[in-house]
Amino acid sequence: KTSSSIETSLKPRVKKDSNDVELSGIIEQDLWFGNYAVRIEGIDQTITAYVGGKMKMRKIKVIVGDTVMVKINPDDWSKGIITYRWVKS
């Protein structure tokens, strides 16, 4: 490979959803069909979120009281995707 092709392959790729906001929150309630009520830390707002595809694929379970990372689209602050669950220590 030439040096220019190596440089272009190492550039970070801009994702389509790069304007999404990731916030941490605590699961308050287990809702219907895999949805959860998540209270966002720092903001007194509860949103509806579902478990993301990678977490489903790896069968990572979440329960009430877990601290999670939620990806939220700035256009709709009432819905989100749970992308990460912190392990309780």
Side-chain angles (χ1 to χ4, degrees):
K1 289 186 173 180
T2 63
S3 63
S4 62
S5 66
I6 293 173
E7 290 174 9
T8 56
S9 65
L10 295 177
K11 287 184 181 178
R13 296 181 181 172
V14 178
K15 294 184 179 179
K16 185 175 76 171
D17 58 350
S18 63
N19 61 347
D20 289 349
V21 179
E22 286 193 334
L23 300 170
S24 62
I26 298 174
I27 295 183
E28 287 189 331
Q29 187 178 5
D30 184 9
L31 302 174
W32 63 95
F33 300 114
N35 290 322
Y36 298 91
V38 179
R39 183 174 42 88
I40 303 299
E41 294 179 350
I43 306 170
D44 284 335
Q45 183 178 3
T46 302
I47 65 166
T48 303
Y50 63 91
V51 177
K54 295 273 184 173
M55 289 182 65
K56 281 184 186 176
M57 191 171 65
R58 292 181 174 87
K59 297 180 180 161
I60 297 173
K61 306 292 183 193
V62 292
I63 58 172
V64 175
D66 282 349
T67 304
V68 294
M69 178 71 71
V70 181
K71 187 189 296 188
I72 302 171
N73 189 340
D75 297 333
D76 186 9
W77 285 85
S78 65
K79 300 176 192 169
I81 304 170
I82 299 171
T83 57
Y84 186 80
R85 179 182 68 95
W86 278 285
V87 179
K88 293 180 183 180
S89 54

